Amino acid sequence: MRLLRIIGKRFSRNRLSVIGAVTVLLLITISLLAPFIAPYDPTAIDVRHTLSPPSKTHLLGTDELGRDLLSRIIWGSRVSLKVGFVAAGIAIVIGIVIGAIAGFYGGKVDAILMRFVDIMLAFPTFFLILAVIAILEPNIFTIMAVIGITSWMDVARLVRAEFLSLKERDFVGAARVVGVSDTRLIFRHILPNALSPVFVAATFGVAGAILIESGLSFLGLGVQPPDPSWGNILTSGKDNIEIAWWLSLYPGLAILITVLSYNLVGEGLRDALDPRLWETERR
């Protein structure tokens, strides 16, 4: 508990990270309450108010089909956050398993797995995702799976580095002496002590997944209309940028604020979880 207080104290000192955390919580709340706070049905077409500028009736204006932009952005936040969390979760699980096995066993196992990681890193991630999405049906489940499966490499390298250090500690040797199995030793004894960088990577991973999903939807390979996504709203903005500036500005700001907030939280966690600074705080 004392360690958690130290981490919380260090995190709270970073004002930008605190602002980012509050913004993230606000975005999550908005996405969960979307059915109750969105003023209109995000898919409802109103040909009488096509490309209407921001007004009292439509606070952020409407798109080319008369759909309320504010409602579409609110509902689009659910898609973006869902993709971010699920894709980051998939990447974290794969990265932990591969990194833990490579770091724990070392030798040929480590060499083979790390060469596989190097091969995956050699491919431009976004273009690899584009290639897979172009083959498969573009829907939200495919997007979450593909982003997660192509984004685990950094997590694997972080976990491997932690395992290489931790497996030489005395508590691991003591566990081996009493006959603890490798699986229990990896996931029960070593892994909990190697999760600090994983938390940081997960935060950055959510931001990256949201950005990738927005890019895919912008290109027409992500969430398909009429379902709202920040990326496909931007596509409408691109097509009407000369006469409807609001279609590009507001979803762009939503993406910017969301990704920036997660990155700020990640930066704060990285500083707060830095073990080199814990001793200073204890003193």
Side-chain angles (χ1 to χ4, degrees):
M1 293 299 295
R2 183 179 180 184
L3 182 58
L4 290 177
R5 287 197 296 270
I6 293 173
I7 293 172
K9 183 179 179 181
R10 289 196 56 80
F11 184 86
S12 63
R13 287 179 181 176
N14 190 328
R15 293 184 179 179
L16 289 177
S17 296
V18 172
I19 293 173
V22 172
T23 305
V24 166
L25 292 175
L26 179 62
L27 290 168
I28 293 173
T29 303
I30 290 174
S31 68
L32 293 175
L33 298 178
F36 308 103
I37 63 176
Y40 298 92
D41 182 344
T43 61
I45 297 175
D46 184 359
V47 295
R48 298 171 301 173
H49 298 93
T50 58
L51 297 178
S52 296
S55 63
K56 292 182 179 179
T57 305
H58 300 282
L59 295 179
L60 299 185
T62 63
D63 63 9
E64 71 279 5
L65 296 177
R67 296 172 297 193
D68 182 66
L69 183 59
L70 175 59
S71 300
R72 289 182 65 77
I73 289 176
I74 291 174
W75 277 91
S77 68
R78 305 190 86 181
V79 173
S80 297
L81 294 178
K82 185 187 298 183
V83 170
F85 283 113
V86 174
I90 294 172
I92 292 297
V93 171
I94 297 174
I96 284 177
V97 171
I98 292 180
I101 293 173
F104 183 80
Y105 291 105
K108 291 183 179 181
V109 174
D110 181 31
I112 292 172
L113 290 176
M114 286 302 104
R115 295 301 75 75
F116 177 60
V117 171
D118 292 339
I119 292 171
M120 291 293 294
L121 287 171
F123 290 99
T125 303
F126 191 75
F127 291 105
L128 180 60
I129 293 172
L130 282 178
V132 177
I133 292 294
I135 297 172
L136 302 175
E137 181 183 355
N139 57 56
I140 189 171
F141 301 105
T142 302
I143 292 168
M144 291 187 294
V146 171
I147 294 176
I149 291 171
T150 56
S151 305
W152 53 267
M153 293 79 75
D154 289 335
V155 177
R157 298 176 76 173
L158 288 170
V159 173
R160 170 185 176 268
E162 290 293 316
F163 266 69
L164 288 174
S165 172
L166 291 170
K167 73 178 184 179
E168 303 298 331
R169 301 287 181 87
D170 291 339
F171 73 90
V172 176
R176 289 184 186 276
V177 169
V178 298
V180 174
S181 65
D182 288 351
T183 302
R184 185 179 178 85
L185 189 56
I186 290 173
F187 293 103
R188 185 69 179 270
H189 296 278
I190 302 180
L191 184 59
N193 293 285
L195 288 179
S196 293
V198 174
F199 291 137
V200 179
T203 307
F204 289 123
V206 172
I210 291 173
L211 200 56
I212 291 173
E213 183 277 327
S214 298
L216 290 172
S217 296
F218 178 77
L219 295 173
L221 296 172
V223 177
Q224 300 299 299
D227 294 331
S229 165
W230 292 341
N232 62 32
I233 296 173
L234 277 175
T235 302
S236 300
K238 172 182 68 67
D239 296 335
N240 300 280
I241 193 168
E242 294 182 356
I243 57 175
W245 53 267
W246 54 91
L247 290 179
S248 298
L249 176 62
Y250 295 122
L253 284 176
I255 295 171
L256 172 64
I257 291 171
T258 301
V259 173
L260 180 61
S261 298
Y262 277 99
N263 284 335
L264 289 174
V265 173
E267 293 285 348
L269 284 176
R270 183 165 59 188
D271 292 340
L273 294 172
D274 190 345
R276 294 173 297 180
L277 302 174
W278 291 349
E279 290 299 327
T280 303
E281 291 294 336
R282 290 191 181 103
R283 295 171 185 172

